[in-house]
């Protein structure tokens, strides 16, 4: 049985939109604006450890295309070990429009996303890592398919922007399972999703 892990960078006020500034959001680019050199080294080590522990990647179309476009230069930007793992992992992308994915080991899930991801969880063992993909993450949370949430919090308040939990239909209890400092300015939080206690 697979375990779906949502992993994302987030501002202190919960914004997940446009961390690298490529989407044109007026406050985008906060990742590199608020990460120090030591922070970046530790962040890379954290991401590498996480990728090495995963059995597959599950991505929305936009996040998939972002990663795929950077795959050739991933080693130079983030490091050989992380890049090699990202390139070798089986990848599943949820999209009704993507026909010929330009990244190796990719399967397109173009049917009923909830049904196909539920089947993926049944057939895979180990962690299924979801990077970014906040629209997909919302769907996974809403349908109780997400098992763990990992947030790397950046020390900035933007005041506006899309948040991971902008559109939740109900309460979603979580249990804190890990807290770590990353470098001098970042903090990693890991939570398990738990079923709500009956009233």
């Amino acid at each position: 049985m697979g375990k779906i892990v949502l992993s994302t960078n987030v501002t202190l006020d919960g914004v997940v939109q446009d961390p690298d500034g490529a989407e044109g959001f007026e406050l985008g680019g906060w990742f590199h604006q608020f990460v120090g050199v030591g922070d970046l080294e530790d962040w890379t080590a954290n991401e590498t450890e996480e990728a090495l522990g995963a059995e597959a990647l599950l991505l929305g179309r936009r996040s998939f295309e972002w990663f795929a476009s950077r795959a050739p230069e991933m080693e130079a930007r983030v490091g050989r070990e992380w890049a090699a793992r990202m390139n070798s992992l089986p990848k599943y992308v949820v999209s009704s429009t993507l026909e010929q994915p330009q990244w190796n080991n990719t399967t397109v899930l173009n049917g009923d996303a909830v049904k196909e991801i539920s089947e993926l969880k049944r057939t895979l063992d180990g962690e299924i890592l979801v990077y970014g993909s906040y629209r997909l993450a919302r769907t996974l949370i809403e349908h109780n398919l997400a098992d763990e949430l990992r947030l790397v919090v950046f020390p900035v308040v933007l005041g506006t922007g899309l948040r991971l939990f902008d559109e939740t239909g109900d309460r979603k209890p979580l249990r804190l399972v890990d807290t770590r400092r990353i470098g001098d300015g970042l903090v990693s939080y890991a939570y398990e999703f738990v079923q709500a206690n009956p009233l």
Side-chain angles (χ1 to χ4, degrees):
M1 183 77 168
K3 173 184 178 182
I4 292 183
V5 176
L6 310 179
S7 179
T8 192
N9 300 306
V10 61
T11 67
L12 198 56
D13 57 338
V15 175
V16 292
Q17 184 178 5
D18 201 9
D20 73 341
E23 298 174 32
F25 172 46
E26 62 181 345
L27 299 177
W30 47 267
F31 181 102
H32 288 289
Q33 292 172 16
F34 298 97
V35 66
V37 174
D39 297 340
L40 188 56
E41 290 174 1
D42 285 358
W43 178 89
T44 300
N46 182 69
E47 296 299 302
T48 300
E49 178 185 342
E50 187 172 64
L52 290 172
E55 295 302 320
L57 292 176
L58 174 63
L59 301 166
R61 182 190 56 80
R62 290 175 64 186
S63 290
F64 172 83
E65 290 179 342
W66 187 92
F67 278 108
S69 70
R70 287 156 176 80
E73 60 193 47
M74 208 174 278
E75 182 176 323
R77 294 176 63 146
V78 187
R80 178 179 298 171
E81 193 174 22
W82 189 76
R85 185 62 177 158
M86 289 289 287
N87 285 316
S88 67
L89 276 171
K91 290 167 271 292
Y92 299 87
V93 56
V94 176
S95 175
S96 60
T97 58
L98 186 64
E99 294 180 357
Q100 296 182 340
Q102 300 299 308
W103 201 6
N104 65 320
N105 300 333
T106 297
T107 301
V108 178
L109 305 179
N110 59 7
D112 181 320
V114 172
K115 184 177 178 181
E116 292 195 58
I117 294 168
S118 297
E119 182 60 25
L120 187 65
K121 279 188 74 169
R122 280 192 292 273
T123 57
L124 286 181
D125 286 325
E127 290 187 357
I128 303 166
L129 190 58
V130 180
Y131 277 140
S133 307
Y134 56 85
R135 290 182 182 93
L136 172 60
R138 289 174 181 167
T139 298
L140 295 170
I141 292 168
E142 196 68 28
H143 290 89
N144 299 314
L145 290 169
D147 300 292
E148 187 172 328
L149 173 66
R150 296 177 188 161
L151 303 173
V152 176
V153 180
F154 282 64
V156 58
V157 173
L158 296 184
T160 188
L162 296 174
R163 292 168 170 81
L164 182 60
F165 297 110
D166 274 347
E167 299 174 18
T168 52
D170 199 2
R171 291 180 295 181
K172 300 291 180 184
L174 298 99
R175 179 188 308 111
L176 181 67
V177 294
D178 187 44
T179 305
R180 286 190 284 171
R181 186 171 179 168
I182 297 178
D184 294 324
L186 310 179
V187 181
S188 169
Y189 296 101
Y191 296 90
E192 288 180 347
F193 287 91
V194 296
Q195 295 298 321
N197 294 326
L199 298 177

